[in-house]
């Protein structure tokens, strides 16, 4: 009797095993035994930037920008990179114009009692505002924090 080479003797059993494994992987089994779908990925976190970074990068979509708020009756509300030491404080540059911010919702907003300076309000600590940035204007979608 003539012996066949080893690869021929093992070929048929390996071929049958491959077919069985491939058929079992194709599904058709009990749907309850299927693995659960992967959880949805969490929403992308907002980018948090300094005023300088926001102006330099021109980000798309919502961003959170940190700075000091300075509001005056004769000027738009601004988010400032620095608070200048004067009384009342002035906005240090660079700065963003802020639209859509309810100043009454800002914790820590200083409003002087002196009628001479009552037209100005500011924060002594930096706050973070979230919104859409277009040029140097931040349209607020979420209040100060």
């Amino acid at each position: 009797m003539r012996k066949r080479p080893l690869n021929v003797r093992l070929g048929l059993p390996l071929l049958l095993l491959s077919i069985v494994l491939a058929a079992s992987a194709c599904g058709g089994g009990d749907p309850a035994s299927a693995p659960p779908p992967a959880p949805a990925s969490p929403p992308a976190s907002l980018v948090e930037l300094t005023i300088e970074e926001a102006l330099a990068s021109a980000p798309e979509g919502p961003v959170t920008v940190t700075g000091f708020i300075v509001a005056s009756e004769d000027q738009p509300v601004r988010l400032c990179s620095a608070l200048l030491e004067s009384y009342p404080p002035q906005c240090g540059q660079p700065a963003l114009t802020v639209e859509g911010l309810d100043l009454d919702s800002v914790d820590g907003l200083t409003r002087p009692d002196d009628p001479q300076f009552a037209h100005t309000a500011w924060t002594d600590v930096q706050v973070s505002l979230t919104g859409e940035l277009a040029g140097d204007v931040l349209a607020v979608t979420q209040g100060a924090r």
Side-chain angles (χ1 to χ4, degrees):
M1 175 170 177
R2 189 167 171 229
K3 287 189 173 181
R4 289 191 257 171
L6 183 60
N7 61 349
V8 173
R9 286 185 285 167
L10 292 177
L12 183 60
L14 285 177
L15 177 63
L16 290 174
L17 179 61
S18 297
I19 292 171
V20 170
L21 289 175
S24 67
C26 287
D30 180 14
S33 66
S41 59
S45 60
L46 294 175
V47 176
E48 189 156 346
L49 304 169
T50 64
I51 295 167
E52 293 84 354
E53 292 168 336
L55 290 169
S57 66
E60 292 183 19
V63 294
T64 300
V65 185
T66 303
F68 298 94
I69 293 176
V70 175
S72 180
E73 287 178 2
D74 59 342
Q75 295 183 357
V77 176
R78 291 170 292 160
L79 188 64
C80 312
S81 60
L83 200 58
L84 301 180
E85 295 182 16
S86 59
Y87 193 84
Q90 296 176 10
C91 185
Q93 298 297 318
L96 297 174
T97 299
V98 177
E99 295 179 346
L101 178 64
D102 176 16
L103 288 175
D104 292 331
S105 71
V106 178
D107 289 333
L109 193 67
T110 299
R111 295 178 191 240
D113 292 330
D114 185 340
Q116 180 181 357
F117 303 113
H119 64 280
T120 302
W122 65 91
T123 57
D124 291 317
V125 296
Q126 290 190 349
V127 296
S128 296
L129 300 177
T130 299
E132 299 281 335
L133 188 64
D136 65 348
V137 176
L138 180 66
V140 174
T141 58
Q142 182 178 337
R145 56 182 172 90

